[in-house]
């Protein structure tokens, strides 16, 4: 199984939090990352996005075919993200468009630092995979990239 964690792009400050929209820079970040992902995502990738406006705007740079999933919304615990994705026993590839600190906590948990929280930059992607090797399951960090490197 592959799990891709994509943090929403830069958003305006304000409230209510769920209604915050992307900035001009945020739209550029989302477009850059979407172009990068379009070339690399498996055809059957399942895409889950938080109901927050900024995540919806981020994912729309990639596709209109996604599921709005409240379980990956702001403040979601790592276990909720993993359950929504079907990790670790699901099939194929799942892309979650979400928020900090949830994404950073999820990455830390999967990479063996359950009490840590990694910093996932705005618009960045963390791509992880799970595989079996000689009867042992391993989680591999395949890619971390921020939009400014594209």
């Amino acid at each position: 199984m592959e799990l891709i964690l994509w943090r929403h792009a830069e958003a305006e400050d304000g409230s209510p939090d769920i209604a915050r929209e992307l900035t001009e820079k945020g739209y550029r970040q989302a477009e850059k990352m979407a172009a990068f992902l379009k070339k690399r995502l498996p055809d059957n990738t399942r895409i889950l996005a938080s109901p927050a406006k900024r995540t919806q705007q981020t994912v729309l740079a990639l596709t209109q075919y996604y599921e709005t999933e409240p379980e990956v919304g702001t403040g979601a615990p790592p276990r909720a993200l993993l359950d929504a994705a079907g990790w670790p026993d699901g099939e194929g590839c799942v892309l979650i468009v979400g928020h900090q600190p949830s994404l950073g906590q999820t990455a830390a948990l999967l990479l063996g630092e359950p009490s840590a929280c990694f910093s996932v930059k705005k618009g960045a992607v963390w791509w992880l995979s799970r595989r079996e090797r000689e009867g042992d399951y391993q989680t591999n960090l395949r890619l971390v990239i921020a939009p400014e490197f594209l």
Side-chain angles (χ1 to χ4, degrees):
M1 177 176 192
E2 296 184 68
L3 178 64
I4 304 167
L5 305 174
W6 185 10
R7 184 176 178 191
H8 65 78
E10 182 182 272
E12 298 171 345
D13 292 329
S15 67
D17 184 57
I18 197 157
R20 292 173 45 215
E21 295 191 27
L22 294 183
T23 63
E24 289 295 321
K25 179 180 179 180
Y27 279 108
R28 287 191 305 274
Q29 289 173 332
E31 289 168 5
K32 280 183 175 182
M33 191 58 70
F36 175 82
L37 289 170
K38 281 178 185 175
K39 297 175 187 173
R40 291 161 179 83
L41 288 178
D43 291 336
N44 62 347
T45 300
R46 183 173 168 226
I47 302 172
L48 306 175
S50 159
K53 180 86 170 185
R54 59 196 179 274
T55 55
Q56 301 281 308
Q57 291 172 323
T58 299
V59 75
L60 281 170
L62 176 66
T63 185
Q64 63 183 350
Y65 303 105
Y66 65 92
E67 302 168 45
T68 298
E69 177 53 66
E71 293 299 312
V72 303
T74 57
R79 189 73 250 164
L81 271 71
L82 296 174
D83 288 346
W87 183 275
D89 298 317
E91 296 291 324
C93 182
V94 177
L95 167 64
I96 295 177
V97 186
H99 309 271
Q100 268 300 94
S102 301
L103 296 176
Q105 292 168 338
T106 302
L109 177 66
L110 295 178
L111 295 172
E113 294 289 338
S115 61
C117 179
F118 296 149
S119 178
V120 177
K121 292 186 64 138
K122 291 176 183 160
V125 162
W126 287 50
W127 193 318
L128 303 112
S129 65
R130 183 171 190 256
R131 68 178 182 174
E132 182 182 0
R133 178 175 258 179
E134 299 174 8
D136 184 32
Y137 287 98
Q138 302 171 342
T139 299
N140 296 305
L141 180 58
R142 297 187 61 200
L143 172 78
V144 174
I145 193 160
E148 63 262 25
F149 290 100
L150 299 175

